Amino acid sequence: MGVYEAGGNGSNGTTTATTCNCCDMSLRCWCRWKFGNHQQQQQPQQNHHNLLHQRLVSLVFSSGFMFFLGCLVLYGSIGMFYGWLVFSKPYSRSTNVGVGLHSLGCQEDNEGSWSIGVFYGDSPFSLKPIEAVNEWRDEGAAWPVANPVVTCASLSDANFPSNFVADPFLYVQGDTLFLFYETKNSITMQGDIAVAKSTDKGATWQQLGIALDEDWHLSYPYVFNYLGQIYMMPESSQKGELRLYRALNFPLQWTLEKVLIKKPLVDSFIINHAGIYWLFGSDHSGFGTRRNGQLEIWYSSSPFGPWKPHKKNPIYNVDKSVGARNGGRPFVYDGNLYRVGQDCGETYGRRVRIFKVEVITKDDYKEVEVPLGFEEPNKGRNAWNGARYHHLDVQHLSSGKWIAVMDGDRVPSGDPVHRFILGSASLAAVTVVAVVLGVLLGAVKCIIPLSWCANYSGKRNNALLGRERSNLFSSKVRRFCSRLNRVPLCVRGKIKLYTWAGKLVLAVTIVVGVALMCTGVKYFYGGNDAEEAYPLNGHYSQFTLLTMTYDARLWNLKMYVKHYSRCSSVKEIIVVWNKGRPPRSSDLDSAVPVWIRVEDQNSLNNRFKRDPMLKTRAVLELDDDIMMTCDDIERGFNVWRQHPDRIVGFYPRLISGSPLKYRGEKYARRHKGYNMILTGAAFMDHTVAFERYWSKEAKAGRELVDRYFNCEDVLLNYLYANASSSQTVEYVRPAWAIDTSKFSGVAISRNTNVHYKIRSNCLLKFSEMYGSIAGRKWEFDGRKDGWDL
């Protein structure tokens, strides 16, 4: 690299070129990213811009820069392949949903993905989700109905595109329930008030439309009755006032009745207690107000005002985790008044808190927190309310029971932005790794070319040097760059790539870059990391997971329970224990109840034994050594709900030939069809399957299963085929599946040839007993298969 020294001829002074190391401490050293030193051609002052252009071209086309760019391309290709392999889904998540406005709704929103669930209880402090009361709906294939009951898709499918639904309030008219809630319009990105109706105690909801739409954001639609008239007091803080609306034609037509207070109150309600009307709300506009930690009270002799402030206002101006901000309708139980508040400590709307009001007068107010008795979900983001729930409206029905609606979200507030920041940081770290690789391999001679530093122009004349001496900051920057540029030489001096240690450092650096790139791709394209349930006709449901095992496979069982209990639609797990000392349920890390059924006899027939413990119509028979994603499980469940009369599973077989011979999945794919589904991973209606299996006609088949200790799944397929001439099995291809018994060495069928031979004998025997299934064949369906066949 040439260093220019000003001559004594003024502006036309001569220059003398000397060389220096690229990482020299001299402030006049300019380094470039390329192999070896390269002499820069001297340029006259009048060609200054051409010199800069040449330096830029030299930098871009230098071997160091090309190496850096090549690393990024390579890592980017790996990231793209990882994204395609893990996150691309050729099947559609939506089922039985029309296109059109639904495609506009349910967009990822920084405020969350809120939805609404229904709860029942004998009191406000014993609420259970709707799936706990086993409410069944045959027309919706929901056995039982499960939360959430209202989602963004519910409204979007009714031609009102919505990103999320939240802040639910009930209005009860006899046996009819009206649900008012906030919906964020996917087009205007503004909150509106929607309304739905239920005539079956909240199991299903008919979306009636938008009840209130203003030019500003609306939420928290507090609905109440006063002197035979129905009123709504939604949050209108964006308008800067608290407005009261009256129903002209309930529930869809409303008119402004009065502006109650000219303050931007949020989440307000009115309640008549002890003959006085009390208005609770939060004003976050004041100086020194702690957001989500402030509460004020006003009182009046009428819900129309005039409203007078409480003597102790603000009642709260504390940390946002205390629960000062209202979180729903207050309620009276056993003569006591209770207020619902929001805990916004960890994230906005993290949970609701209940406060018992002990004193409420014009001069004083006291409340104490009491437990709600609500069991928090522990399925993480796979639960519809796994991350937060911030609104509760509980009401007493004429039957004496209590009903409640609660909103919930599977992700915290700001999740998309959080993922974007983490993804960007991961990709930035990849660029650093690329530079490190260049340093190790000698492609990068220095980190920061000094030509990038301030006040550098290439020619070092006296005027420029004087200007740099007077600019202390510029001098310090160039000195820092020079010192930083010594790093590559030092690194290469200490790490020798021809040694084992050097090769290890290089390998670790490459792996770290791959890991960082995959992490960045995950944050950008992996979504919110939730494996959600698939709705059918707008309804969700649940199933029971059933597996059969024994003491030698306890390691498999623990991993199995921990994984599958977190799947969204799993209601509970039943473990059929065939041999050995059974574990305790507490020994298993489960997010759902686990029941261990100890059998007296070690028989494969126990898999299909009728069990009064089963509370769902759907049962997933899944071997304890099969691991697959919750998304595949949910997808299979959705397909079964569409065909509950079939065995729906993940392992197809084709039984054909003369004589009949049992073959693996490759044979079925090669012949482009199947007629059997292995029940080691299959959904079925236990009220049908188990009855058939334990019928008198199946007795000879069960005896054969005990004799061979094999073929119980083959027998069930024959029984289904014998009962119907139509299709009796359905295949769903998983994204991937792992046989964990290969790692534990406790596989039941260790010798594949012997195993297949026994099954071939079973085929011959069952065909004699129940008729052959070889004449049946169904082609693979690409929509359910998830692949282009």
Side-chain angles (χ1 to χ4, degrees), residues 102-123:
H102 174 73
S103 61
L104 298 177
C106 298
Q107 301 173 15
E108 188 172 57
D109 197 290
N110 199 48
E111 292 187 63
S113 56
W114 297 93
S115 51
I116 298 171
V118 173
F119 298 76
Y120 304 100
D122 295 326
S123 78

Side-chain angles (χ1 to χ4, degrees), residues 482-494:
S482 295
R483 290 175 177 175
L484 184 62
N485 287 334
R486 299 180 64 188
V487 173
L489 188 62
C490 297
V491 170
R492 288 194 298 273
K494 292 183 178 181

Side-chain angles (χ1 to χ4, degrees), residues 487-553:
V487 173
L489 188 62
C490 297
V491 170
R492 288 194 298 273
K494 292 183 178 181
I495 301 178
K496 307 298 184 180
L497 294 185
Y498 55 83
T499 64
W500 282 108
K503 293 177 181 179
L504 179 62
V505 171
L506 180 64
V508 170
T509 304
I510 294 173
V511 171
V512 168
V514 172
L516 288 170
M517 176 57 71
C518 293
T519 301
V521 170
K522 176 185 176 182
Y523 282 124
F524 278 118
Y525 301 107
N528 57 24
D529 203 29
E531 295 178 287
E532 305 177 32
Y534 289 74
L536 181 67
N537 299 325
H539 300 144
Y540 293 87
S541 189
Q542 291 187 323
F543 62 87
T544 301
L545 190 61
L546 191 149
T547 189
M548 184 171 61
T549 189
Y550 61 101
D551 53 357
R553 297 163 67 96

Side-chain angles (χ1 to χ4, degrees), residues 201-218:
K201 298 180 181 180
T204 60
W205 294 88
Q206 175 190 357
Q207 300 300 321
L208 302 180
I210 303 299
L212 192 60
D213 180 9
E214 297 283 15
D215 294 334
W216 53 87
H217 172 83
L218 297 173

Side-chain angles (χ1 to χ4, degrees), residues 339-406:
R339 184 183 71 87
V340 184
Q342 294 184 47
D343 174 357
C344 299
E346 302 170 34
T347 181
Y348 170 72
R350 173 59 186 90
R351 60 175 61 86
V352 297
R353 290 187 169 185
I354 306 300
F355 299 90
K356 178 182 177 182
V357 178
E358 295 185 329
V359 177
I360 179 169
T361 66
K362 298 177 181 179
D363 301 321
D364 197 11
Y365 180 82
K366 292 181 181 180
E367 64 181 17
V368 60
E369 184 174 1
V370 296
L372 174 60
F374 174 71
E375 184 177 346
E376 291 206 14
N378 51 5
K379 293 188 177 184
R381 296 194 175 196
N382 288 350
W384 68 277
N385 57 347
R388 48 185 179 158
Y389 52 96
H390 83 327
H391 185 100
L392 173 70
D393 183 11
V394 56
Q395 297 202 29
H396 201 189
L397 300 176
S398 58
S399 63
K401 299 290 184 178
W402 290 77
I403 186 173
V405 286
M406 181 186 295

Side-chain angles (χ1 to χ4, degrees), residues 64 135 162 165 266 372 479 494 512 606 610 613 641 736 754:
E135 187 72 26
S162 170
V165 294
V266 298
L372 174 60
R479 185 176 295 111
K494 292 183 178 181
V512 168
N606 294 333
R610 287 164 290 195
M613 291 293 295
R641 291 174 67 193
W736 54 263
V754 174

